[in-house]
Amino acid sequence: MRWALVKVSLAVTAMVVVAFAVPLGLVIREMARDRAFSNAEREAAAVAPALSITTDRDQLERVVASAGSDAAMAVHIPAGDGSGALDIGERRAAAEDIAAVRKLGRASTSTVSGGSALLQPVALSTGEIAVVEVFVPESEVTNGVGTAWAVLAGVGVALILGSVAVADRLGVRMVRPAQRLVEGAHELGEGKLGARVPEEGPNELRLAAVAFNSMADQVVQLLANERELAADLSHRLRTPLTVLRLNAASLGDGPAAEQTRAAVEQLEREVDTIIRTARDAKPQTAAAGPGAGCDAAEVVRERMAFWSALAEDEGRKWRVAGADRPVRIPVARADLAAALDALLGNVFRHTAEGTAFAVDVHNGEDAVIVLVSDAGPGIPDPEQAMARGRGSGSDGSTGLGLDIVRRLAESTGGDVRIGSSVLGGTEVRIWLQLDGRERAPRRRGHRGTVRRRRGPGRLTASFNRPRSLP
């Protein structure tokens, strides 16, 4: 493309130069010829007054000498009144040409050796016609023409070279962004997701680069979302795996029981491997749009009905508070269920059998709080636990359980906090913002703030008062 543009520019400029330089060169040659013959006419006109007065040879020689060069001018006077013909100066023109000018009485030019001769007729006092001959050498006719043509040729070459240089720069300015766009497309096609194109060059190519970079960002985001979805779905498998592991533990001894437990453990390891492989993707959880969402109370009742069977098998006391009336939240039903399963699965996985747990739902004017608490040993370092939730899992934990919960809360503008529960163990608070705006810091005692203090079965709040454990 670059060389094609240069060739086109070269051809167009050459045509323009030829179209203007050739006629201009011809005009310059004609101007030089006209200048030379105009000078010859002025010299001939200087002799005409003397010829109309006298035909004396001496006087005419002095006039010719003063009017021009003796070698360039000649005067031809015909014979008359008893006097013979008189020729002053060197005659170059043919006799028949002089006779023709005398007969016609009109100026004329004739080609002679070394140039041209201007033949100018002049009427004498006797009525005869004299002819003044002025020699115009070829060098005078072409004086300055060669220099002018050389200047025109130099200007034409300079214009051609300049146009080629400008076309080359324009071609580079157009071709380089296009080449970078092609290279970026090849790199992206080869799997180099970090390939981007500089947004420079002509407006069209700049817009193409912007569109390419946006497309590349979308591809990266889509792949990240796919990996995150794979991690999410894999993590949701841990809920039935937990049930399967607990049921396998109650099978007793025997080869079949051992094989079942080994298979369950291997399946858990494979699920953990899938989650760890996919967890590097940047999470993105979109909040539900207007009119979408689910009933948090209904989801809590449904998931607690599922986990209550396991709780009875392990002798765990449990309770649900605040789920007796609808509580609308702007998140998808499946996302809330996955978050609850992740937290309740952690309770069963990381606390001893017989450990009590509870789920409380608090409905406020601008937010909904879901509390999942247990009576286990607690978490000594909540900040580190949240760090694991962001992707630094340890042995036996993928670190994505709290990450699922955090993304769910942040999709509404809320957050997740880990603290000590009134049951003596861990409490995970999920703050779900109802209007989708980022939650501002709240002062203690402000409306919608949960206030709690230590004590058996004591939990006070400005939302709903929970029931105690059965």
Side-chain angles (χ1 to χ4, degrees):
M1 180 178 180
R2 173 183 174 185
W3 294 116
L5 184 61
V6 171
K7 291 178 181 178
V8 170
S9 176
L10 178 61
V12 172
T13 307
M15 292 175 61
V16 171
V17 168
V18 170
F20 280 92
V22 171
L24 188 58
L26 296 176
V27 169
I28 291 174
R29 188 180 68 175
E30 291 299 321
M31 290 176 62
R33 180 181 177 83
D34 292 343
R35 182 181 65 247
F37 280 93
S38 295
N39 292 335
E41 289 176 357
R42 282 195 301 270
E43 293 178 5
V47 179
L51 287 173
S52 63
I53 297 175
T54 182
T55 57
D56 183 68
R57 185 182 186 90
D58 293 336
Q59 292 182 3
L60 291 177
E61 286 180 350
R62 287 194 296 270
V63 171
V64 169
S66 64
S69 173
D70 292 341
M73 182 179 291
V75 178
H76 309 291
I77 300 175
D81 295 337
S83 60
L86 179 64
D87 290 323
I88 300 174
E90 181 182 358
R91 181 174 64 84
R92 292 180 174 83
E96 55 270 19
D97 291 336
I98 295 175
V101 170
R102 183 177 291 121
K103 179 179 180 181
L104 296 174
R106 187 170 58 239
S108 176
T109 60
S110 62
T111 303
V112 299
S113 177
S116 300
L118 173 66
L119 303 176
Q120 180 71 41
V122 178
L124 300 176
S125 59
T126 59
E128 299 293 335
I129 300 298
V131 177
V132 179
E133 178 185 347
V134 181
F135 175 65
V136 181
E138 188 67 28
S139 61
E140 188 174 349
V141 173
T142 60
N143 183 27
V145 175
T147 303
W149 283 9
V151 171
L152 286 177
V155 171
V157 171
L159 287 174
I160 292 174
L161 295 178
S163 68
V164 169
V166 172
D168 182 69
R169 291 300 90 194
L170 290 176
V172 169
R173 185 170 177 265
M174 295 178 61
V175 170
R176 282 184 180 174
Q179 289 177 341
R180 290 172 180 168
L181 186 62
V182 172
E183 293 171 358
H186 282 305
E187 291 179 359
L188 187 65
E190 292 172 357
K192 300 177 181 178
L193 301 182
R196 296 296 183 273
V197 178
E199 298 173 1
E200 58 186 18
N203 187 52
E204 292 78 6
L205 291 176
R206 185 165 57 251
L207 293 176
V210 171
F212 175 85
N213 293 337
S214 177
M215 178 195 68
D217 292 339
Q218 290 294 329
V219 170
V220 172
Q221 187 62 53
L222 288 174
L223 291 176
N225 290 343
E226 290 295 330
R227 290 193 294 267
E228 187 62 35
L229 179 62
D232 248 350
L233 295 177
S234 300
H235 194 278
R236 294 182 186 186
L237 292 176
R238 302 196 67 175
T239 297
L241 281 177
T242 300
V243 178
L244 188 59
R245 179 174 57 83
L246 295 175
N247 291 337
S250 63
L251 293 178
D253 298 331
E258 292 297 330
Q259 291 177 0
T260 301
R261 284 189 286 267
V264 171
E265 292 177 358
Q266 181 180 359
L267 184 57
E268 283 186 328
R269 287 193 299 269
E270 294 296 334
V271 171
D272 290 347
T273 301
I274 295 174
I275 296 174
R276 286 194 173 94
T277 301
R279 72 175 182 174
D280 290 336
K282 185 177 180 180
Q284 180 182 7
T285 300
C294 67
D295 182 359
E298 180 182 356
V299 176
V300 168
R301 292 194 302 268
E302 176 187 323
R303 300 319 300 160
M304 287 301 294
F306 171 82
W307 288 99
S308 62
L310 297 177
E312 292 177 0
D313 292 342
E314 295 189 356
R316 297 175 183 266
K317 293 183 179 181
W318 59 273
R319 67 164 171 81
V320 178
D324 52 350
R325 56 183 178 178
V327 179
R328 297 295 302 181
I329 58 174
V331 297
R333 179 187 186 91
D335 292 341
L336 179 60
L340 289 174
D341 286 342
L343 294 179
L344 295 175
N346 286 340
V347 172
F348 280 80
R349 189 176 297 108
H350 300 295
T351 61
E353 295 186 4
T355 303
F357 65 95
V359 177
D360 301 323
V361 181
H362 304 284
N363 189 11
E365 294 179 356
D366 59 353
V368 172
I369 296 179
V370 179
L371 300 176
V372 178
S373 54
D374 62 64
I379 298 178
D381 192 349
E383 293 183 0
Q384 182 62 27
M386 288 303 299
R388 286 200 303 270
R390 294 180 185 271
S392 59
S394 58
D395 293 340
S397 173
T398 63
L400 285 183
L402 289 176
D403 191 53
I404 294 174
V405 179
R406 177 181 60 81
R407 287 188 294 110
L408 175 74
E410 291 180 351
S411 69
T412 67
D415 60 12
V416 176
R417 298 291 176 87
I418 299 178
S420 300
S421 71
V422 295
L423 301 179
T426 302
E427 176 186 88
V428 180
R429 185 203 67 179
I430 310 173
W431 187 291
L432 302 173
Q433 196 77 9
L434 295 180
D435 55 5
R437 295 177 300 179
E438 188 174 352
R439 184 177 61 86
R442 296 178 179 272
R443 294 176 297 177
R444 185 174 182 85
H446 191 273
R447 177 180 293 181
T449 301
V450 177
R451 301 189 303 275
R452 54 183 179 273
R453 61 184 178 83
R454 296 283 182 176
R458 299 284 297 179
L459 178 64
T460 60
S462 58
F463 295 98
N464 297 317
R465 185 180 299 278
R467 300 188 297 272
S468 58
L469 286 170

